[in-house]
Amino acid sequence: MTEEIVLSLGRDAIWTTVALAAPLLIASLIVGLLVSIFQAVTQINEATLTFIPKMLTIVVVMIVLAPWMTQVISAYTTELFTALPNYVR
């Protein structure tokens, strides 16, 4: 196993992780900003107010994107196991 293969595996793993986490993080960021703007406008200073909307948003995004996320992680895992004999040589 050469250094190029190890770096390629690491890069692919990181990009797959980023691709799977990005929609959840972006949706949570948008909801957090909207709730923060709402808090600033209404002058409600409750720290826990953002928790429930963010959690609901993450659940909804995970339900909507579950087929895509499953396909991405399955494709990555299949590719990894298919190429495994090439890595051990």
Side-chain angles (χ1 to χ4, degrees):
M1 187 178 258
T2 65
E3 294 150 0
E4 293 175 8
I5 293 173
V6 173
L7 290 174
S8 174
L9 288 173
R11 184 186 67 237
D12 291 345
I14 289 172
W15 279 114
T16 302
T17 304
V18 168
L20 292 174
L24 299 172
L25 295 173
I26 291 170
S28 180
L29 174 72
I30 290 170
V31 169
L33 286 172
L34 292 175
V35 171
S36 295
I37 291 170
F38 174 75
Q39 283 181 324
V41 169
T42 61
Q43 295 182 355
I44 299 173
N45 292 326
E46 181 62 35
T48 59
L49 185 62
T50 61
F51 182 73
I52 299 297
K54 281 184 184 180
M55 292 306 295
L56 290 175
T57 302
I58 288 175
V59 168
V60 168
V61 170
M62 284 185 74
I63 289 171
V64 170
L65 294 180
W68 173 76
M69 294 172 113
T70 304
Q71 188 270 332
V72 168
I73 197 70
S74 296
Y76 175 73
T77 305
T78 303
E79 180 184 328
L80 189 64
F81 284 142
T82 303
L84 191 61
N86 298 332
Y87 298 149
V88 261
R89 276 196 280 150

